[in-house]
Amino acid sequence: MRKLLLSTIFATACVSFVSSALAQERMRIAWAGSTPSNTPIWVADQKGFFKKNGLNAEVIAISASTIVIQALLTGEVDFIIAPSATLVTSRLAGADTVMVSTNLPLFIDHIVSLSDVSSVEQLKGKTGGVNRLGTTSDMTLRLALRRLGVDPEKDTKIIATGENPQRLAALSRNITQFTLLGEPLVKEAEKMGFRDLYDIGTLKIPYHVNAVVTREKTVRERRPYVVKVVRAFAEALHFIKTNKEETKALIAKNLKTTDPEGLERAYRAYNAAFPEIPYPNAEGVKTLLDDMAPRTPKAATADPKSFVDLTLVQELEAAGFFKQLYKK
């Protein structure tokens, strides 16, 4: 009898395990850029929110957003973490890409320069460094410069110098005289003698620096699956806002930094910009379309609303998900 009981318990456990495994939908998602803007995907993955929402997630780090979009369009991944620029350029080219949720709907990086540059006006005639041309850092810097009265094409020269360590090295060797950095790297740059020239966050420019992008085909054919992804990121954003020290530890781990002041500055800056309800509002797309319009006819006639799908977040809000999450 005892052997029969043990066999029954074992069989039940096996069935339960298999059922649990089958309930987990496979999901592939790619991201690019080692900055705290990617904290939501680190949290969703490493704190178990993908798994909690029934997703067996394969999270793939890729070197640049221009490569990330290729992975989505070729079907190698199901979702990407991407900025407005990646979404807009792909959709204007005919892709069915669409934003379903946002993680960071504002610019919050800083323009960092050599110490002898004391004003934005003095950037004219100088060379700026970004990760790669066409990536998030490139678009952010160009858009911000235009808002500040500096034409990036006519007044400056912008070159690709690589990721953050390479950008700082280019400044050190005077290959470039200014670049774009976010916290905690701004603090590190100041310690190296560079100037925190301008906090772009003060401009309050609506632009989706970091958003969840997929294809309309995926939303149409697998909507419940996409809702799970949106819900996982919403829970990750809630975790960030309510678990400061754990989030700082996760940022430190992923950026390989231990500077307490830099981590505190990074948490404050990004936490303030991360939304509670992650609506992928059209304003964050319109900013880029308006900027591109003089040079790109398709951008001038494009409807910003066609680039975003608000309905998934709306569905969660209507169901009381966010009120329950934040206990409001």
Side-chain angles (χ1 to χ4, degrees), residues 190-298:
E190 288 179 314
K191 287 165 63 176
M192 295 170 66
F194 301 122
R195 185 187 297 273
D196 180 5
L197 184 67
Y198 199 91
D199 177 0
I200 296 173
T202 61
L203 296 174
K204 302 294 182 184
I205 303 174
Y207 177 91
H208 298 287
V209 174
N210 186 291
V212 183
V213 175
T214 187
R215 300 181 66 175
E216 289 182 331
K217 182 176 186 286
T218 304
V219 177
R220 186 171 59 252
E221 296 179 355
R222 303 181 66 190
R223 185 179 180 86
Y225 163 62
V226 180
V227 170
K228 289 180 182 180
V229 176
V230 172
R231 191 169 57 218
F233 275 104
E235 290 181 333
L237 289 166
H238 173 262
F239 179 93
I240 292 167
K241 290 183 172 295
T242 56
N243 293 273
K244 178 179 179 179
E245 295 306 319
E246 284 187 77
T247 300
K248 282 166 61 177
L250 202 60
I251 295 172
K253 172 187 172 184
N254 285 278
L255 296 185
K256 297 180 173 58
T257 182
T258 57
D259 175 31
E261 184 181 348
L263 287 167
E264 179 64 26
R265 285 170 54 162
Y267 179 82
R268 285 202 309 266
Y270 285 89
N271 182 54
F274 290 144
E276 287 187 4
I277 303 180
Y279 273 114
N281 292 315
E283 288 82 359
V285 174
K286 186 177 184 298
T287 296
L288 181 59
L289 290 173
D290 289 347
D291 183 75
M292 293 172 65
R295 305 176 302 280
T296 310
K298 282 187 177 181

Side-chain angles (χ1 to χ4, degrees), residues 23-24 44-45 47-57 228 231-232 235-236 238 321 325:
Q24 297 283 311
D45 179 33
K47 290 298 179 179
F49 291 109
F50 287 142
K51 185 176 181 180
K52 176 187 172 185
N53 283 281
L55 299 165
N56 177 15
K228 289 180 182 180
R231 191 169 57 218
E235 290 181 333
H238 173 262
F321 173 76
L325 194 61

